[in-house]
Amino acid sequence: QQQVKQSPQSLIVQKGGISIINCAYENTAFDYFPWYQQFPGKGPALLIAIRPDVSEKKEGRFTISFNKSAKQFSLHIMDSQPGDSATYFCAAKAAGNKLTFGGGTRVLVKP
Amino acid sequence: DADVTQTPRNRITKTGKRIMLECSQTKGHDRMYWYRQDPGLGLRLIYYSFDVKDINKGEISDGYSVSRQAQAKFSLSLESAIPNQTALYFCATSDFNGQYFGPGTRLTVL
């Protein structure tokens, strides 16, 4: 049973377009929601994160939107570039710094 | 991810063999983790350690064991490997900012 559900599993977007990845969670004890980016042959790397007292966080072309009442959060990649082609994981943290990960979304940005 | 290193990077082994995956870190973090990654399932926590004397099971610890030899070293063992343990394995450390992953070990059990 996955506590963090991520969709879609894969996504193709044209260069310059917007990539949107959605995650939903059940555990209201989660208090930190990071997104990780993983390139082939590499480990996941922290991309951006949000805490539940904030509804939106933006860093460059990457934005997290957070809806606490719906228990959902999403990653938006604006002006998507071929170099953004990677697998993206949402995650949620409860006590003890343990992360629960979503299933991942493979994003392909076509030139 | 050069701060967290994993050896070996690739390993092919046979059913029933014992295998050890090693992780070292130079970040000075007390907290270390072992995950496995399978397609569509994301990363699942196998074991974690908050310091040298503290070892805890994660959500999928059956068939695995760990050893925290020092603050910088955390090893994962498969006592008797089976084919469904074929996966990508990641070690990670953490501080209050987040978790930092090594490059992974691709393990194939035939």
Side-chain angles (χ1 to χ4, degrees), chain B residues 6-109:
Chain B
Q6 294 184 234
T7 56
R9 293 295 313 277
N10 290 281
R11 180 72 181 266
I12 299 173
T13 191
K14 294 183 178 180
T15 297
K17 294 291 187 181
R18 183 180 189 274
I19 184 167
M20 179 181 289
L21 309 182
E22 300 191 5
C23 175
S24 295
Q25 53 114 346
T26 58
K27 299 183 80 67
H29 294 162
D30 287 326
R31 299 183 174 190
M32 298 187 73
Y33 309 78
W34 274 104
Y35 292 90
R36 67 177 278 175
Q37 183 178 1
D38 299 278
L41 296 178
L43 289 92
R44 292 180 292 165
L45 185 62
I46 306 173
Y47 270 95
Y48 61 103
S49 170
F50 285 172
D51 65 41
V52 175
K53 297 180 181 179
D54 178 71
I55 303 289
N56 303 280
K57 293 182 177 180
E59 62 180 294
I60 55 162
S61 60
D62 287 349
Y64 303 94
S65 62
V66 290
S67 173
R68 185 81 184 267
Q69 300 96 323
Q71 186 204 39
K73 296 185 181 295
F74 193 34
S75 300
L76 176 72
S77 293
L78 287 67
E79 297 301 325
S80 180
I82 56 177
N84 77 357
Q85 291 178 312
T86 293
L88 197 50
Y89 289 85
F90 288 100
C91 173
T93 71
S94 73
D95 61 14
F96 62 89
N97 286 320
Q99 292 196 9
Y100 307 90
F101 288 81
T105 294
R106 185 169 295 280
L107 176 66
T108 302
V109 183

Side-chain angles (χ1 to χ4, degrees), chain A residues 14-101:
Chain A
Q14 293 295 127
K15 179 182 176 181
I18 302 174
S19 303
I20 301 174
I21 306 170
N22 300 299
C23 287
Y25 65 96
E26 292 295 326
N27 187 352
T28 55
F30 289 142
D31 60 3
Y32 179 71
F33 300 87
W35 284 87
Y36 284 81
Q37 180 188 53
Q38 183 182 27
F39 294 106
K42 302 289 187 181
L46 180 63
L47 182 64
I48 186 173
I50 197 167
R51 298 198 181 275
D53 53 349
V54 177
S55 61
E56 185 174 283
K57 183 173 182 180
K58 183 176 181 180
E59 290 185 1
R61 296 182 294 106
F62 299 90
T63 300
I64 301 177
S65 297
F66 188 85
N67 185 330
K68 188 174 182 179
S69 61
K71 293 187 283 187
Q72 295 175 347
F73 57 112
S74 60
L75 176 70
H76 294 228
I77 307 174
M78 312 300 286
D79 187 27
S80 297
Q81 299 297 311
D84 297 331
S85 296
T87 299
Y88 293 81
F89 294 96
C90 63
K93 183 184 77 66
N97 222 21
K98 292 188 297 179
L99 291 176
T100 300
F101 285 84

